[in-house]
Amino acid sequence: MTLADPDHGPVIIPPEEAEEYLAKMDISVSDILAAIENGETAAGNITNFHPVTAAGLVRWIEVVGRLREGLAEHGSWTESNPRNRPVSKHTKYGYSLSPIGGNEATGVIDHPSGPLAARKKGVATAEAVNAGHQALIRVETLRPNTKSTPGTRPPSGSWFLLYHRAEGEARLEVSLPIGFEGGQFTGWQVRVILDSWKPRDVTRNPLDVGGQDVDFQVDEVG
């Protein structure tokens, strides 16, 4: 298991610095917000007549599709599907990015441990995270500051857009894990916290508010 550095924990990039930091990876915050809004629209069209997993599933599908399309339009990213896991890969630098539903700690800047995946993930995610793991980089090389060398970029690896649809908002962050074990992230190298996305229609709540896909068991009858 890979453990976080106990001396400082993850590097936290606050919302007011997020746009500048992500621009160094050729990621536009506007593309992220457009993807989140697409997901909200899709989830909002789901009713009680649909399967119980539908709202969380269609939200994820639309977030993935719109984000990958937006990144590709800028020419620096291309889509890839290792083990059928939809990701975007930077065409020049060693970045990959994929959206994933997070738990209630997502986007909470002062959370002591940071977010977990809302549901445990499989082999493809584990391979992506652990294959791209690097030794921890000094904190001062990750935090944006006026003394940084021009053009200095964030660390390479498998990054994730985590989103959590809570009451009245979707909390967001783009973060780089330090490891993955037992279907869950084991900690974070860098957490880039974004401002929460607010829905336009506050009177209508999609069915996946406060959670994600629902596990269910099929029992044989007879």
Side-chain angles (χ1 to χ4, degrees), residues 190-213:
V190 187
R191 295 180 63 206
V192 183
I193 310 298
L194 302 178
D195 287 322
S196 294
W197 177 87
K198 308 288 186 182
R200 299 177 185 179
D201 184 359
V202 297
T203 64
R204 183 182 182 187
N205 274 339
L207 297 179
D208 63 335
V209 168
Q212 298 295 324
D213 296 350

Side-chain angles (χ1 to χ4, degrees), residues 100-167:
I100 189 172
N103 68 355
E104 64 278 359
T106 301
V108 179
I109 194 168
D110 57 352
H111 194 276
S113 60
L116 296 173
R119 295 185 63 186
K120 289 185 176 182
K121 301 303 170 183
V123 173
T125 303
E127 288 180 349
V129 173
N130 294 329
H133 172 66
Q134 302 174 333
L136 284 178
I137 301 172
R138 291 180 301 130
V139 179
E140 56 268 27
T141 67
L142 298 179
R143 285 203 175 105
N145 60 74
T146 56
K147 297 180 180 179
S148 297
T149 303
T152 299
R153 293 182 178 272
S156 61
S158 296
W159 290 72
F160 292 85
L161 165 62
L162 293 104
Y163 60 87
H164 178 76
R165 181 56 162 94
E167 288 287 345

Side-chain angles (χ1 to χ4, degrees), residues 11 13 36 52 56 66 80 100 114 142 146 156 180 184 188 196:
V11 174
I13 308 300
I36 295 300
V52 292
R66 179 61 183 86
S80 180
I100 189 172
L142 298 179
T146 56
S156 61
F180 191 87
Q184 278 292 0
W188 302 95
S196 294

Side-chain angles (χ1 to χ4, degrees), residues 90-102:
H90 200 283
T91 57
K92 184 176 180 181
Y93 302 105
Y95 301 127
S96 70
L97 179 65
S98 54
I100 189 172

